[in-house]
């Protein structure tokens, strides 16, 4: 026991002294108006401890406050990111709707200029095989479609209906090798037949060498054959070549309609054969 007291005599003495001092300090608290020398001494001794405690408390409180603020900021950032994503989606949807409305207005304007009834259809598929260039539309026999009906877009001729199912139909594009449409040069009234040649291009066949055809001329349907109404835009002459021999000239035509970007069409409710 004595060895233990000797070993820890300084902590024991210090503790006893603190206890005695605190007890004496408590007994002297009766006179609250004035602090004696002993009270002032005790206050001076424990003042740094109190200051350290206050600083630690303030630091802990500040860390907790910063943590709470950080959690709130993260939550707000997450909410803001979700809001931004939602707004971006709505902006894209709005742009798509605006573009669709613009296309449909142009198609409606064309519909108003036609003398024959028509049915609007959306492009739902395509076939770009080496042998055929066709599109699939979402209108069919239940809508009154028949084989041979002409198909147009706001910017010009698309092709003809070649196969009809109950709720869909296949359209042979004017750029297909099997397609042929009677045409006339709008400026000079030179005649010919626009044939598909693949690669998104056409040619004006059976145009005599002496016919006045120039690059940049617009080709329109002639109305002959009874399929396409007269005056629909087919395309623009992109190349004219007159050989030394033969009675015809070689003429390339760029279609007015970009078939690769076609989304809506009008099917003219008339039937016939070129």
């Amino acid at each position: 026991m004595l060895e233990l007291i000797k070993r820890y005599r300084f902590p024991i003495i210090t503790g006893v002294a603190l206890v005695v001092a605190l007890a004496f300090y408590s007994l002297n608290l009766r006179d609250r108006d004035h602090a004696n020398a002993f009270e002032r001494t005790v206050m001076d001794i424990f003042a740094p401890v109190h200051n350290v405690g206050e600083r630690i408390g303030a630091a802990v409180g500040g860390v907790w406050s910063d943590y709470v603020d950080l959690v709130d900021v993260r939550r707000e950032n997450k909410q803001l990111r979700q809001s931004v994503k939602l707004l971006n989606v709505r902006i894209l949807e709005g742009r798509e709707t605006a573009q669709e409305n613009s296309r449909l207005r142009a198609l409606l304007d064309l519909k108003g200029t036609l003398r024959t009834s028509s049915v609007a259809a959306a492009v739902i598929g395509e076939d770009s095989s080496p042998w055929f260039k066709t599109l699939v539309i979402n209108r069919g026999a239940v809508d009154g479609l028949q084989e041979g009906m002409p198909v147009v877009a706001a910017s010009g001729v698309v092709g003809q209906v070649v196969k009809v199912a109950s709720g869909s139909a296949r359209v042979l594009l004017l750029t297909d090798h099997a397609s042929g449409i009677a045409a006339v040069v709008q400026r000079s009234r030179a005649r010919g037949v626009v044939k598909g040649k693949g690669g998104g291009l056409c040619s004006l066949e059976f145009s005599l060498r002496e016919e006045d055809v120039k690059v940049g001329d617009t080709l329109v349907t002639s109305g002959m054959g009874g399929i396409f109404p007269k005056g629909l835009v087919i395309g623009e002459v992109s190349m004219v070549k007159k050989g030394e021999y033969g009675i015809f000239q070689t003429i390339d035509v760029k279609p007015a309609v970009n078939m690769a970007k076609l989304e809506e069409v009008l099917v003219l409710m008339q039937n016939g054969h070129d």
Side-chain angles (χ1 to χ4, degrees):
M1 186 67 177
L2 292 175
E3 290 296 330
L4 184 62
I5 293 173
K6 287 180 180 180
R7 181 178 301 177
Y8 297 101
R9 62 181 179 276
F10 290 109
I12 293 173
I13 292 171
T14 302
V16 171
L18 288 174
V19 171
V20 172
L22 289 174
F24 186 76
Y25 176 72
S26 299
L27 292 174
N28 283 274
L29 286 178
R30 295 175 182 178
D31 187 7
R32 299 180 181 273
D33 296 333
H34 303 283
N36 56 33
F38 178 77
E39 291 176 348
R40 289 194 295 270
T41 302
V42 172
M43 293 173 64
D44 292 338
I45 292 173
F46 284 97
V49 178
H50 288 228
N51 292 335
V52 171
E54 290 178 0
R55 287 196 295 269
I56 293 174
V60 172
V63 171
W64 176 253
S65 178
D66 292 342
Y67 173 75
V68 172
D69 291 342
L70 182 59
V71 170
D72 291 339
V73 169
R74 288 180 177 175
R75 186 183 299 109
E76 291 177 1
N77 285 342
K78 185 177 181 180
Q79 292 174 351
L80 287 173
R81 286 195 296 269
Q82 293 296 332
S83 298
V84 169
K85 289 181 181 179
L86 181 60
L87 287 174
N88 286 337
V89 170
R90 289 180 177 176
I91 290 173
L92 293 176
E93 289 176 348
R95 289 176 180 173
E96 185 65 20
T97 301
Q99 292 179 3
E100 182 180 7
N101 288 341
S102 178
R103 295 194 306 269
L104 292 177
R105 281 197 300 270
L107 209 60
L108 186 61
D109 291 341
L110 173 64
K111 185 181 179 72
T113 64
L114 300 173
R115 296 181 179 180
T116 183
S117 61
S118 59
V119 173
V123 176
I124 58 175
E126 61 180 345
D127 179 10
S128 298
S129 67
W131 299 279
F132 297 101
K133 302 294 181 183
T134 63
L135 294 177
V136 180
I137 58 177
N138 66 344
R139 299 288 187 176
V142 295
D143 304 292
L145 270 63
Q146 298 178 17
E147 294 180 1
M149 286 183 171
V151 181
V152 299
S155 53
V157 174
V158 174
Q160 286 180 258
V161 176
V162 290
K163 291 184 179 180
V164 180
S166 60
S168 63
R170 189 172 292 275
V171 179
L172 183 70
L173 301 181
L174 66 88
T175 54
D176 187 89
H177 293 282
S179 175
I181 301 174
V184 60
V185 177
Q186 195 173 48
R187 177 185 58 84
S188 65
R189 314 312 293 176
R191 297 181 179 274
V193 177
V194 173
K195 300 279 290 182
K197 58 181 298 184
L201 295 175
C202 302
S203 61
L204 181 63
E205 305 290 335
F206 311 117
S207 176
L208 298 176
R209 294 182 72 253
E210 61 268 19
E211 293 280 12
D212 181 12
V213 182
K214 297 180 180 179
V215 173
D217 279 343
T218 298
L219 289 173
V220 297
T221 53
S222 66
M224 300 184 66
I227 294 183
F228 286 90
K230 184 177 181 180
L232 296 177
V233 177
I234 298 175
E236 180 181 292
V237 175
S238 58
M239 189 272 290
V240 178
K241 182 178 180 181
K242 296 182 180 182
E244 296 181 2
Y245 306 99
I247 60 174
F248 301 115
Q249 52 188 325
T250 302
I251 301 171
D252 285 346
V253 178
K254 180 182 178 181
V257 178
N258 187 341
M259 307 299 175
K261 297 182 179 180
L262 196 59
E263 296 184 54
E264 298 90 14
V265 297
L266 280 180
V267 181
L268 307 187
M269 305 301 285
Q270 61 182 45
N271 202 351
H273 299 280
D274 268 350

